Amino acid sequence: MITLSNAQARRLFLDKHALGEAPTGAGKGADLLELITRLGFVQVDSVRTVERAHHMILFSRRQAYRPGNLDHLLEHDRSLFEHWTHDASIIPTDFYPHWNMRFDRNDTKLRKQWRAWRRDGFEDKVQGVLDRIEDKGACGSGDVGDDEARGSGGWWDWHPSKTALEFLWQTGQLAVSRREQFRKFFDLTNRVIPQTQLTRKPTEKQSIDWLCNAAIDRLGFATSGEIAAFWASISAAEARIWCNEAVTSGHLTPIQIEQTDGQMRQCFARPDVLMAADNAPIPQNRMRILSPFDPMLRDRKRAEKLFGFHYRIEIFTPAAKRQYGYYVFPMLEKDRLVGRIDVATDRNADRLHVTAVWPERGVLWGKARQDRLNAELARMSRFCVTSGVSFSDNWLRDPK
């Protein structure tokens, strides 16, 4: 059986996630679309301590990237669309036909779930919401259901027309046309998604095959469960069946991956995985501050096994119980996660402000490493359009 050492596995994994090479490139147009296609998708998140997650993910790979570059591809070129993978994500429009399977499955699943979710009656609003959008154009959730009672305003307390609007999006009848201040506006799908993609109708079998192939090619190596979780569109059972058939046909091979603790983990990979690992670029000797939602870290357990880095976001942890902070960013250097940083944009002071840095155990924080961090913070300050970087007193903390 093929075995990848931990060093080989890290090198391949970083290459697949576009973190092995220098972050050069235009960061817009065809270059940006190629990057997102290579990653498969970019997760969207509303939290903006430095910049929103999707923008930070792209900036960490393309230093020239700026947020408006993504908007152009989404809202003008329509070469990207917004929908769900494991969470809300930005996805290449070329992939759209394979979301039809998800839409069909959602239609059955959500009707049942949302009726039981105290949303009885939302189906009665579906046609009215569609008619309103057809006549008046794209709208947001605040533009429908004027005569319906609102509760606390949280996701758990949608009024029936908002539920209908979300249902129509989840089942493919509507698409996100644009965002304003992070608020989604929905339009009829045929006004947003190009006809070339709307007319392609793969079968379920074809989509399962595409989704599994696309996942393993972006992960480098994976268990069947990780393949299923990548797009979150198929079941673990479907992924297991696909993996077994792919091994039989010679398109996949079982391999062993060495973890940081020396234990071996059973995965699947392409038969040329050793060559791919050897040909992957040697990771750059620079510091990168990564979004907590970076594709490299999305599967926390996988990252911990491969890099020995335990990370949990603490947004929903009461302040007194937080180990680090509200929104702390991992720091990548070469092929190692060397620590985490509590940094935020302070618009009033026109500064990118560092509250604390926690090196990982065994990581020495000397001048060279500090210089690399300073260089990354300077780049990030320009990205956030602030005039410089500031540090709190006693910002360098002991490892935990």
Side-chain angles (χ1 to χ4, degrees), residues 128-278:
V129 170
L130 276 174
D131 291 343
R132 188 259 181 233
I133 293 174
E134 185 167 12
D135 293 343
K136 297 183 179 180
C139 76
S141 60
D143 302 316
V144 295
D146 291 339
D147 58 342
E148 297 168 25
R150 271 124 166 112
S152 62
W155 65 266
W156 58 89
D157 205 10
W158 294 350
H159 56 79
S161 289
K162 174 177 171 57
T163 309
L165 189 69
E166 291 284 337
F167 175 80
L168 288 164
W169 178 49
Q170 294 277 6
T171 56
Q173 299 173 74
L174 298 179
V176 176
S177 175
R178 68 184 190 278
R179 280 185 182 260
E180 293 180 6
Q181 300 299 313
F182 211 67
R183 179 188 172 205
K184 293 196 297 284
F185 282 78
F186 302 92
D187 205 344
L188 300 179
T189 298
N190 60 16
R191 294 175 181 168
V192 177
I193 304 299
Q195 284 297 314
T196 51
Q197 305 306 333
L198 291 178
T199 55
R200 290 174 54 205
K201 300 290 184 181
T203 65
E204 271 208 359
K205 181 175 174 55
Q206 288 171 330
S207 286
I208 291 170
D209 186 59
W210 184 91
L211 290 161
C212 290
N213 273 305
I216 193 66
D217 286 339
R218 285 162 177 80
L219 291 169
F221 49 86
T223 65
S224 60
E226 289 166 347
I227 289 171
F230 186 82
W231 305 106
S233 292
I234 63 173
S235 69
E238 287 169 328
R240 279 196 301 272
I241 292 169
W242 182 85
C243 286
N244 291 335
E245 291 176 349
V247 169
T248 301
S249 65
H251 291 98
L252 283 188
T253 185
I255 66 167
Q256 294 185 118
I257 303 293
E258 183 187 18
Q259 308 304 297
T260 51
D261 62 2
Q263 297 294 310
M264 292 296 176
R265 187 164 179 252
Q266 305 299 312
C267 290
F268 296 99
R270 297 298 189 192
D272 65 350
V273 64
L274 278 175
M275 183 184 298
D278 289 341

Side-chain angles (χ1 to χ4, degrees), residues 42-59:
V42 174
Q43 183 175 339
V44 176
D45 190 73
S46 61
V47 178
R48 192 184 184 190
T49 55
V50 172
E51 184 51 271
R52 290 195 170 105
H54 41 295
H55 298 313
M56 288 200 66
I57 290 167
L58 297 170
F59 172 72

Side-chain angles (χ1 to χ4, degrees), residues 306-358:
L306 194 58
F307 293 91
F309 186 81
H310 177 82
Y311 182 83
R312 298 293 181 270
I313 197 163
E314 297 182 285
I315 290 175
F316 302 111
T317 303
K321 295 184 178 180
R322 288 176 188 149
Q323 185 177 10
Y324 295 102
Y326 172 78
Y327 200 83
V328 172
F329 300 85
M331 297 185 295
L332 176 69
E333 185 184 78
K334 296 184 180 179
D335 69 343
R336 186 179 182 187
L337 289 158
V338 295
R340 55 204 89 201
I341 182 170
D342 186 351
V343 58
T345 303
D346 184 341
R347 293 295 176 192
N348 292 329
D350 190 28
R351 288 288 188 274
L352 189 67
H353 184 73
V354 177
T355 299
V357 171
W358 295 268

Side-chain angles (χ1 to χ4, degrees), residues 358-371:
W358 295 268
E360 286 290 278
R361 289 191 179 279
V363 173
L364 299 178
W365 205 266
K367 182 180 183 302
R369 184 161 278 126
Q370 182 63 43
D371 287 346

Side-chain angles (χ1 to χ4, degrees), residues 3 38 65 83 95 108 127 130 138 161 219 229 261 264 285 301 309 385 390:
T3 297
R38 177 178 172 184
Y65 171 79
H83 218 279
F95 300 175
T108 301
Q127 191 58 51
L130 276 174
S161 289
L219 291 169
D261 62 2
M264 292 296 176
N285 184 24
K301 291 181 180 179
F309 186 81
V385 196
S390 59

Side-chain angles (χ1 to χ4, degrees), residues 64-166:
Y65 171 79
R66 295 297 181 268
N69 303 351
L70 184 63
D71 295 339
H72 188 82
L73 294 179
L74 274 165
E75 298 176 11
H76 299 283
D77 288 3
R78 299 297 189 192
S79 53
L80 298 170
F81 75 103
E82 184 177 333
H83 218 279
W84 283 81
T85 54
H86 69 294
D87 210 320
S89 298
I90 291 163
I91 308 158
T93 308
D94 279 352
F95 300 175
Y96 186 87
H98 297 293
W99 262 248
N100 285 310
M101 181 179 75
R102 189 185 196 108
F103 299 151
D104 291 343
R105 293 180 176 187
N106 278 349
D107 191 285
T108 301
K109 179 178 71 174
L110 296 183
R111 285 183 192 276
K112 181 178 179 180
Q113 288 181 349
W114 288 7
R115 285 172 193 157
W117 180 50
R118 296 184 308 218
R119 285 298 165 268
D120 231 359
F122 82 88
E123 289 162 290
D124 297 336
K125 302 293 183 179
V126 165
Q127 191 58 51
V129 170
L130 276 174
D131 291 343
R132 188 259 181 233
I133 293 174
E134 185 167 12
D135 293 343
K136 297 183 179 180
C139 76
S141 60
D143 302 316
V144 295
D146 291 339
D147 58 342
E148 297 168 25
R150 271 124 166 112
S152 62
W155 65 266
W156 58 89
D157 205 10
W158 294 350
H159 56 79
S161 289
K162 174 177 171 57
T163 309
L165 189 69
E166 291 284 337

